[in-house]
Amino acid sequence: MHNPTCKLHASQSFEDHSPVRERRTSDVSDIFLSPEAYKATQAVEFIAEHLRNEDEYVQIREDWKFVAMVVDRAQLWIFFLVTTIGTVGILMDAPHIFEFVDQDRIIDIYRGK
């Protein structure tokens, strides 16, 4: 969407493609405006519409950031729980984790004594 006085789209009519024109269908005061004043009001309306669209875009972007933060936090908790449960499960499954092991006797067995 370009400014109504933009030279790039001079062949296209601003009134045909503008959401501002859709909103302002008839305004009696436009008849009494000079061409410069009319162009100025069109430019102001374009800026206002652009700012409204930008505000809407920022709001949508902020909503998606919040959704991403919630999903990220949920995945962090899932990762934490799976890692903790897996670690505890592996440690509990180890055969001699809670038994006393006489290391000197094992060393003597391997040395052949």
Side-chain angles (χ1 to χ4, degrees), residues 40-67:
T41 57
Q42 281 184 335
V44 168
E45 288 172 2
F46 170 79
I47 292 170
E49 186 68 26
H50 179 73
L51 290 175
R52 277 188 220 101
N53 289 340
E54 185 177 359
D55 289 342
E56 182 181 353
Y57 172 76
V58 167
Q59 181 63 40
I60 290 171
R61 189 177 65 204
E62 292 299 319
D63 290 345
W64 277 109
K65 280 184 181 180
F66 180 74
V67 169

PDB file of all heavy atoms in Angstrom, residues 40-67:
ATOM      1  N   ALA A  40      -3.478  16.486   0.823  1.00  0.00           N
ATOM      2  CA  ALA A  40      -2.971  16.473   2.192  1.00  0.00           C
ATOM      3  C   ALA A  40      -3.879  15.624   3.097  1.00  0.00           C
ATOM      4  O   ALA A  40      -3.389  14.845   3.921  1.00  0.00           O
ATOM      5  CB  ALA A  40      -2.857  17.889   2.739  1.00  0.00           C
ATOM      6  N   THR A  41      -5.185  15.761   2.948  1.00  0.00           N
ATOM      7  CA  THR A  41      -6.093  14.940   3.768  1.00  0.00           C
ATOM      8  C   THR A  41      -5.972  13.472   3.411  1.00  0.00           C
ATOM      9  O   THR A  41      -6.039  12.616   4.294  1.00  0.00           O
ATOM     10  CB  THR A  41      -7.551  15.387   3.615  1.00  0.00           C
ATOM     11  OG1 THR A  41      -7.927  15.325   2.241  1.00  0.00           O
ATOM     12  CG2 THR A  41      -7.759  16.784   4.162  1.00  0.00           C
ATOM     13  N   GLN A  42      -5.771  13.196   2.120  1.00  0.00           N
ATOM     14  CA  GLN A  42      -5.565  11.791   1.727  1.00  0.00           C
ATOM     15  C   GLN A  42      -4.277  11.246   2.355  1.00  0.00           C
ATOM     16  O   GLN A  42      -4.247  10.103   2.811  1.00  0.00           O
ATOM     17  CB  GLN A  42      -5.483  11.671   0.205  1.00  0.00           C
ATOM     18  CG  GLN A  42      -6.810  11.705  -0.484  1.00  0.00           C
ATOM     19  CD  GLN A  42      -6.651  11.494  -1.973  1.00  0.00           C
ATOM     20  OE1 GLN A  42      -5.595  11.774  -2.541  1.00  0.00           O
ATOM     21  NE2 GLN A  42      -7.704  11.003  -2.607  1.00  0.00           N
ATOM     22  N   ALA A  43      -3.225  12.055   2.377  1.00  0.00           N
ATOM     23  CA  ALA A  43      -1.960  11.614   2.969  1.00  0.00           C
ATOM     24  C   ALA A  43      -2.112  11.388   4.471  1.00  0.00           C
ATOM     25  O   ALA A  43      -1.604  10.412   5.013  1.00  0.00           O
ATOM     26  CB  ALA A  43      -0.862  12.649   2.693  1.00  0.00           C
ATOM     27  N   VAL A  44      -2.844  12.273   5.147  1.00  0.00           N
ATOM     28  CA  VAL A  44      -3.071  12.107   6.584  1.00  0.00           C
ATOM     29  C   VAL A  44      -3.896  10.847   6.841  1.00  0.00           C
ATOM     30  O   VAL A  44      -3.614  10.079   7.773  1.00  0.00           O
ATOM     31  CB  VAL A  44      -3.755  13.359   7.176  1.00  0.00           C
ATOM     32  CG1 VAL A  44      -4.254  13.102   8.583  1.00  0.00           C
ATOM     33  CG2 VAL A  44      -2.794  14.543   7.158  1.00  0.00           C
ATOM     34  N   GLU A  45      -4.911  10.613   6.021  1.00  0.00           N
ATOM     35  CA  GLU A  45      -5.716   9.391   6.172  1.00  0.00           C
ATOM     36  C   GLU A  45      -4.877   8.146   5.911  1.00  0.00           C
ATOM     37  O   GLU A  45      -5.020   7.131   6.596  1.00  0.00           O
ATOM     38  CB  GLU A  45      -6.911   9.429   5.222  1.00  0.00           C
ATOM     39  CG  GLU A  45      -7.966  10.430   5.641  1.00  0.00           C
ATOM     40  CD  GLU A  45      -9.058  10.592   4.595  1.00  0.00           C
ATOM     41  OE1 GLU A  45      -9.011   9.888   3.558  1.00  0.00           O
ATOM     42  OE2 GLU A  45      -9.949  11.413   4.823  1.00  0.00           O
ATOM     43  N   PHE A  46      -3.979   8.236   4.941  1.00  0.00           N
ATOM     44  CA  PHE A  46      -3.091   7.108   4.653  1.00  0.00           C
ATOM     45  C   PHE A  46      -2.191   6.826   5.856  1.00  0.00           C
ATOM     46  O   PHE A  46      -2.016   5.677   6.266  1.00  0.00           O
ATOM     47  CB  PHE A  46      -2.233   7.411   3.416  1.00  0.00           C
ATOM     48  CG  PHE A  46      -1.143   6.422   3.202  1.00  0.00           C
ATOM     49  CD1 PHE A  46      -1.429   5.196   2.616  1.00  0.00           C
ATOM     50  CD2 PHE A  46       0.160   6.683   3.610  1.00  0.00           C
ATOM     51  CE1 PHE A  46      -0.425   4.256   2.430  1.00  0.00           C
ATOM     52  CE2 PHE A  46       1.161   5.754   3.424  1.00  0.00           C
ATOM     53  CZ  PHE A  46       0.859   4.540   2.836  1.00  0.00           C
ATOM     54  N   ILE A  47      -1.621   7.864   6.443  1.00  0.00           N
ATOM     55  CA  ILE A  47      -0.739   7.688   7.605  1.00  0.00           C
ATOM     56  C   ILE A  47      -1.522   7.098   8.772  1.00  0.00           C
ATOM     57  O   ILE A  47      -1.048   6.184   9.452  1.00  0.00           O
ATOM     58  CB  ILE A  47      -0.077   9.026   7.992  1.00  0.00           C
ATOM     59  CG1 ILE A  47       0.915   9.453   6.907  1.00  0.00           C
ATOM     60  CG2 ILE A  47       0.613   8.932   9.341  1.00  0.00           C
ATOM     61  CD1 ILE A  47       1.440  10.861   7.059  1.00  0.00           C
ATOM     62  N   ALA A  48      -2.742   7.596   9.004  1.00  0.00           N
ATOM     63  CA  ALA A  48      -3.563   7.080  10.098  1.00  0.00           C
ATOM     64  C   ALA A  48      -3.894   5.606   9.883  1.00  0.00           C
ATOM     65  O   ALA A  48      -3.813   4.800  10.819  1.00  0.00           O
ATOM     66  CB  ALA A  48      -4.842   7.901  10.223  1.00  0.00           C
ATOM     67  N   GLU A  49      -4.247   5.255   8.652  1.00  0.00           N
ATOM     68  CA  GLU A  49      -4.561   3.846   8.350  1.00  0.00           C
ATOM     69  C   GLU A  49      -3.319   2.975   8.506  1.00  0.00           C
ATOM     70  O   GLU A  49      -3.385   1.863   9.026  1.00  0.00           O
ATOM     71  CB  GLU A  49      -5.103   3.730   6.920  1.00  0.00           C
ATOM     72  CG  GLU A  49      -5.585   2.350   6.556  1.00  0.00           C
ATOM     73  CD  GLU A  49      -6.835   1.948   7.324  1.00  0.00           C
ATOM     74  OE1 GLU A  49      -7.605   2.817   7.742  1.00  0.00           O
ATOM     75  OE2 GLU A  49      -7.020   0.728   7.507  1.00  0.00           O
ATOM     76  N   HIS A  50      -2.182   3.484   8.073  1.00  0.00           N
ATOM     77  CA  HIS A  50      -0.922   2.746   8.220  1.00  0.00           C
ATOM     78  C   HIS A  50      -0.597   2.514   9.693  1.00  0.00           C
ATOM     79  O   HIS A  50      -0.178   1.418  10.076  1.00  0.00           O
ATOM     80  CB  HIS A  50       0.211   3.504   7.531  1.00  0.00           C
ATOM     81  CG  HIS A  50       1.535   2.832   7.642  1.00  0.00           C
ATOM     82  ND1 HIS A  50       1.843   1.688   6.936  1.00  0.00           N
ATOM     83  CD2 HIS A  50       2.624   3.127   8.392  1.00  0.00           C
ATOM     84  CE1 HIS A  50       3.067   1.305   7.247  1.00  0.00           C
ATOM     85  NE2 HIS A  50       3.568   2.161   8.125  1.00  0.00           N
ATOM     86  N   LEU A  51      -0.792   3.521  10.538  1.00  0.00           N
ATOM     87  CA  LEU A  51      -0.537   3.378  11.966  1.00  0.00           C
ATOM     88  C   LEU A  51      -1.502   2.378  12.602  1.00  0.00           C
ATOM     89  O   LEU A  51      -1.109   1.595  13.467  1.00  0.00           O
ATOM     90  CB  LEU A  51      -0.622   4.731  12.664  1.00  0.00           C
ATOM     91  CG  LEU A  51       0.517   5.704  12.345  1.00  0.00           C
ATOM     92  CD1 LEU A  51       0.266   7.051  12.995  1.00  0.00           C
ATOM     93  CD2 LEU A  51       1.846   5.130  12.786  1.00  0.00           C
ATOM     94  N   ARG A  52      -2.765   2.385  12.174  1.00  0.00           N
ATOM     95  CA  ARG A  52      -3.720   1.392  12.686  1.00  0.00           C
ATOM     96  C   ARG A  52      -3.290  -0.019  12.302  1.00  0.00           C
ATOM     97  O   ARG A  52      -3.340  -0.931  13.123  1.00  0.00           O
ATOM     98  CB  ARG A  52      -5.121   1.678  12.147  1.00  0.00           C
ATOM     99  CG  ARG A  52      -5.870   2.719  12.917  1.00  0.00           C
ATOM    100  CD  ARG A  52      -7.321   2.805  12.453  1.00  0.00           C
ATOM    101  NE  ARG A  52      -7.681   4.198  12.431  1.00  0.00           N
ATOM    102  CZ  ARG A  52      -7.734   4.973  11.362  1.00  0.00           C
ATOM    103  NH1 ARG A  52      -7.498   4.487  10.174  1.00  0.00           N
ATOM    104  NH2 ARG A  52      -8.063   6.241  11.461  1.00  0.00           N
ATOM    105  N   ASN A  53      -2.884  -0.191  11.052  1.00  0.00           N
ATOM    106  CA  ASN A  53      -2.431  -1.511  10.609  1.00  0.00           C
ATOM    107  C   ASN A  53      -1.176  -1.944  11.364  1.00  0.00           C
ATOM    108  O   ASN A  53      -1.033  -3.115  11.717  1.00  0.00           O
ATOM    109  CB  ASN A  53      -2.146  -1.502   9.106  1.00  0.00           C
ATOM    110  CG  ASN A  53      -3.410  -1.405   8.287  1.00  0.00           C
ATOM    111  OD1 ASN A  53      -4.506  -1.697   8.764  1.00  0.00           O
ATOM    112  ND2 ASN A  53      -3.274  -0.967   7.056  1.00  0.00           N
ATOM    113  N   GLU A  54      -0.274  -1.004  11.609  1.00  0.00           N
ATOM    114  CA  GLU A  54       0.949  -1.330  12.339  1.00  0.00           C
ATOM    115  C   GLU A  54       0.630  -1.727  13.782  1.00  0.00           C
ATOM    116  O   GLU A  54       1.213  -2.682  14.310  1.00  0.00           O
ATOM    117  CB  GLU A  54       1.901  -0.142  12.314  1.00  0.00           C
ATOM    118  CG  GLU A  54       3.238  -0.443  12.940  1.00  0.00           C
ATOM    119  CD  GLU A  54       4.202   0.729  12.856  1.00  0.00           C
ATOM    120  OE1 GLU A  54       3.837   1.773  12.290  1.00  0.00           O
ATOM    121  OE2 GLU A  54       5.318   0.593  13.369  1.00  0.00           O
ATOM    122  N   ASP A  55      -0.298  -1.015  14.411  1.00  0.00           N
ATOM    123  CA  ASP A  55      -0.708  -1.364  15.775  1.00  0.00           C
ATOM    124  C   ASP A  55      -1.309  -2.762  15.817  1.00  0.00           C
ATOM    125  O   ASP A  55      -1.036  -3.546  16.733  1.00  0.00           O
ATOM    126  CB  ASP A  55      -1.705  -0.351  16.330  1.00  0.00           C
ATOM    127  CG  ASP A  55      -1.069   0.993  16.633  1.00  0.00           C
ATOM    128  OD1 ASP A  55       0.180   1.040  16.741  1.00  0.00           O
ATOM    129  OD2 ASP A  55      -1.816   1.989  16.758  1.00  0.00           O
ATOM    130  N   GLU A  56      -2.130  -3.082  14.834  1.00  0.00           N
ATOM    131  CA  GLU A  56      -2.734  -4.422  14.769  1.00  0.00           C
ATOM    132  C   GLU A  56      -1.656  -5.489  14.574  1.00  0.00           C
ATOM    133  O   GLU A  56      -1.679  -6.534  15.229  1.00  0.00           O
ATOM    134  CB  GLU A  56      -3.744  -4.484  13.624  1.00  0.00           C
ATOM    135  CG  GLU A  56      -4.448  -5.811  13.504  1.00  0.00           C
ATOM    136  CD  GLU A  56      -5.425  -5.829  12.342  1.00  0.00           C
ATOM    137  OE1 GLU A  56      -5.659  -4.782  11.710  1.00  0.00           O
ATOM    138  OE2 GLU A  56      -5.945  -6.918  12.063  1.00  0.00           O
ATOM    139  N   TYR A  57      -0.680  -5.206  13.703  1.00  0.00           N
ATOM    140  CA  TYR A  57       0.412  -6.141  13.465  1.00  0.00           C
ATOM    141  C   TYR A  57       1.237  -6.348  14.734  1.00  0.00           C
ATOM    142  O   TYR A  57       1.594  -7.477  15.076  1.00  0.00           O
ATOM    143  CB  TYR A  57       1.305  -5.629  12.330  1.00  0.00           C
ATOM    144  CG  TYR A  57       2.555  -6.436  12.141  1.00  0.00           C
ATOM    145  CD1 TYR A  57       2.511  -7.677  11.519  1.00  0.00           C
ATOM    146  CD2 TYR A  57       3.785  -5.971  12.595  1.00  0.00           C
ATOM    147  CE1 TYR A  57       3.659  -8.431  11.350  1.00  0.00           C
ATOM    148  CE2 TYR A  57       4.937  -6.714  12.434  1.00  0.00           C
ATOM    149  CZ  TYR A  57       4.865  -7.939  11.804  1.00  0.00           C
ATOM    150  OH  TYR A  57       5.997  -8.690  11.656  1.00  0.00           O
ATOM    151  N   VAL A  58       1.527  -5.269  15.458  1.00  0.00           N
ATOM    152  CA  VAL A  58       2.306  -5.367  16.695  1.00  0.00           C
ATOM    153  C   VAL A  58       1.544  -6.192  17.724  1.00  0.00           C
ATOM    154  O   VAL A  58       2.126  -7.029  18.415  1.00  0.00           O
ATOM    155  CB  VAL A  58       2.657  -3.959  17.229  1.00  0.00           C
ATOM    156  CG1 VAL A  58       3.180  -4.019  18.656  1.00  0.00           C
ATOM    157  CG2 VAL A  58       3.672  -3.288  16.323  1.00  0.00           C
ATOM    158  N   GLN A  59       0.235  -5.981  17.821  1.00  0.00           N
ATOM    159  CA  GLN A  59      -0.567  -6.741  18.780  1.00  0.00           C
ATOM    160  C   GLN A  59      -0.561  -8.229  18.435  1.00  0.00           C
ATOM    161  O   GLN A  59      -0.403  -9.071  19.322  1.00  0.00           O
ATOM    162  CB  GLN A  59      -2.007  -6.208  18.805  1.00  0.00           C
ATOM    163  CG  GLN A  59      -2.894  -6.921  19.792  1.00  0.00           C
ATOM    164  CD  GLN A  59      -2.422  -6.755  21.220  1.00  0.00           C
ATOM    165  OE1 GLN A  59      -1.993  -5.682  21.612  1.00  0.00           O
ATOM    166  NE2 GLN A  59      -2.484  -7.814  22.007  1.00  0.00           N
ATOM    167  N   ILE A  60      -0.703  -8.564  17.174  1.00  0.00           N
ATOM    168  CA  ILE A  60      -0.676  -9.974  16.753  1.00  0.00           C
ATOM    169  C   ILE A  60       0.696 -10.574  17.040  1.00  0.00           C
ATOM    170  O   ILE A  60       0.802 -11.697  17.538  1.00  0.00           O
ATOM    171  CB  ILE A  60      -1.046 -10.091  15.262  1.00  0.00           C
ATOM    172  CG1 ILE A  60      -2.523  -9.760  15.067  1.00  0.00           C
ATOM    173  CG2 ILE A  60      -0.729 -11.472  14.727  1.00  0.00           C
ATOM    174  CD1 ILE A  60      -2.941  -9.628  13.625  1.00  0.00           C
ATOM    175  N   ARG A  61       1.759  -9.830  16.753  1.00  0.00           N
ATOM    176  CA  ARG A  61       3.113 -10.314  17.015  1.00  0.00           C
ATOM    177  C   ARG A  61       3.336 -10.554  18.510  1.00  0.00           C
ATOM    178  O   ARG A  61       3.921 -11.565  18.900  1.00  0.00           O
ATOM    179  CB  ARG A  61       4.135  -9.320  16.473  1.00  0.00           C
ATOM    180  CG  ARG A  61       5.556  -9.863  16.507  1.00  0.00           C
ATOM    181  CD  ARG A  61       6.534  -8.907  15.909  1.00  0.00           C
ATOM    182  NE  ARG A  61       6.572  -7.718  16.753  1.00  0.00           N
ATOM    183  CZ  ARG A  61       6.942  -6.525  16.344  1.00  0.00           C
ATOM    184  NH1 ARG A  61       7.288  -6.336  15.099  1.00  0.00           N
ATOM    185  NH2 ARG A  61       6.947  -5.501  17.161  1.00  0.00           N
ATOM    186  N   GLU A  62       2.842  -9.651  19.349  1.00  0.00           N
ATOM    187  CA  GLU A  62       2.985  -9.818  20.797  1.00  0.00           C
ATOM    188  C   GLU A  62       2.190 -11.027  21.291  1.00  0.00           C
ATOM    189  O   GLU A  62       2.641 -11.745  22.182  1.00  0.00           O
ATOM    190  CB  GLU A  62       2.539  -8.553  21.531  1.00  0.00           C
ATOM    191  CG  GLU A  62       3.437  -7.362  21.307  1.00  0.00           C
ATOM    192  CD  GLU A  62       4.859  -7.596  21.784  1.00  0.00           C
ATOM    193  OE1 GLU A  62       5.060  -8.182  22.849  1.00  0.00           O
ATOM    194  OE2 GLU A  62       5.788  -7.182  21.049  1.00  0.00           O
ATOM    195  N   ASP A  63       1.018 -11.258  20.704  1.00  0.00           N
ATOM    196  CA  ASP A  63       0.230 -12.444  21.084  1.00  0.00           C
ATOM    197  C   ASP A  63       0.990 -13.725  20.746  1.00  0.00           C
ATOM    198  O   ASP A  63       1.022 -14.665  21.541  1.00  0.00           O
ATOM    199  CB  ASP A  63      -1.124 -12.442  20.379  1.00  0.00           C
ATOM    200  CG  ASP A  63      -2.052 -11.358  20.913  1.00  0.00           C
ATOM    201  OD1 ASP A  63      -1.760 -10.805  21.996  1.00  0.00           O
ATOM    202  OD2 ASP A  63      -3.056 -11.053  20.234  1.00  0.00           O
ATOM    203  N   TRP A  64       1.601 -13.765  19.569  1.00  0.00           N
ATOM    204  CA  TRP A  64       2.360 -14.963  19.182  1.00  0.00           C
ATOM    205  C   TRP A  64       3.613 -15.132  20.040  1.00  0.00           C
ATOM    206  O   TRP A  64       4.027 -16.257  20.330  1.00  0.00           O
ATOM    207  CB  TRP A  64       2.715 -14.927  17.708  1.00  0.00           C
ATOM    208  CG  TRP A  64       1.584 -15.408  16.858  1.00  0.00           C
ATOM    209  CD1 TRP A  64       0.800 -14.661  16.040  1.00  0.00           C
ATOM    210  CD2 TRP A  64       1.085 -16.744  16.782  1.00  0.00           C
ATOM    211  NE1 TRP A  64      -0.147 -15.448  15.467  1.00  0.00           N
ATOM    212  CE2 TRP A  64       0.002 -16.736  15.884  1.00  0.00           C
ATOM    213  CE3 TRP A  64       1.448 -17.951  17.372  1.00  0.00           C
ATOM    214  CZ2 TRP A  64      -0.712 -17.877  15.581  1.00  0.00           C
ATOM    215  CZ3 TRP A  64       0.729 -19.092  17.060  1.00  0.00           C
ATOM    216  CH2 TRP A  64      -0.331 -19.049  16.179  1.00  0.00           C
ATOM    217  N   LYS A  65       4.220 -14.033  20.465  1.00  0.00           N
ATOM    218  CA  LYS A  65       5.367 -14.136  21.377  1.00  0.00           C
ATOM    219  C   LYS A  65       4.935 -14.764  22.697  1.00  0.00           C
ATOM    220  O   LYS A  65       5.660 -15.579  23.273  1.00  0.00           O
ATOM    221  CB  LYS A  65       5.976 -12.756  21.645  1.00  0.00           C
ATOM    222  CG  LYS A  65       6.875 -12.247  20.562  1.00  0.00           C
ATOM    223  CD  LYS A  65       7.479 -10.912  20.993  1.00  0.00           C
ATOM    224  CE  LYS A  65       8.372 -10.346  19.934  1.00  0.00           C
ATOM    225  NZ  LYS A  65       8.953  -9.050  20.342  1.00  0.00           N
ATOM    226  N   PHE A  66       3.759 -14.383  23.185  1.00  0.00           N
ATOM    227  CA  PHE A  66       3.250 -14.955  24.423  1.00  0.00           C
ATOM    228  C   PHE A  66       2.976 -16.444  24.261  1.00  0.00           C
ATOM    229  O   PHE A  66       3.327 -17.253  25.131  1.00  0.00           O
ATOM    230  CB  PHE A  66       1.987 -14.220  24.876  1.00  0.00           C
ATOM    231  CG  PHE A  66       1.409 -14.755  26.145  1.00  0.00           C
ATOM    232  CD1 PHE A  66       2.029 -14.499  27.355  1.00  0.00           C
ATOM    233  CD2 PHE A  66       0.269 -15.532  26.124  1.00  0.00           C
ATOM    234  CE1 PHE A  66       1.505 -15.006  28.534  1.00  0.00           C
ATOM    235  CE2 PHE A  66      -0.259 -16.045  27.295  1.00  0.00           C
ATOM    236  CZ  PHE A  66       0.368 -15.780  28.500  1.00  0.00           C
ATOM    237  N   VAL A  67       2.362 -16.816  23.127  1.00  0.00           N
ATOM    238  CA  VAL A  67       2.103 -18.238  22.860  1.00  0.00           C
ATOM    239  C   VAL A  67       3.415 -19.008  22.804  1.00  0.00           C
ATOM    240  O   VAL A  67       3.539 -20.102  23.375  1.00  0.00           O
ATOM    241  CB  VAL A  67       1.304 -18.405  21.541  1.00  0.00           C
ATOM    242  CG1 VAL A  67       1.255 -19.854  21.106  1.00  0.00           C
ATOM    243  CG2 VAL A  67      -0.098 -17.850  21.696  1.00  0.00           C
TER     244      VAL A  67
END
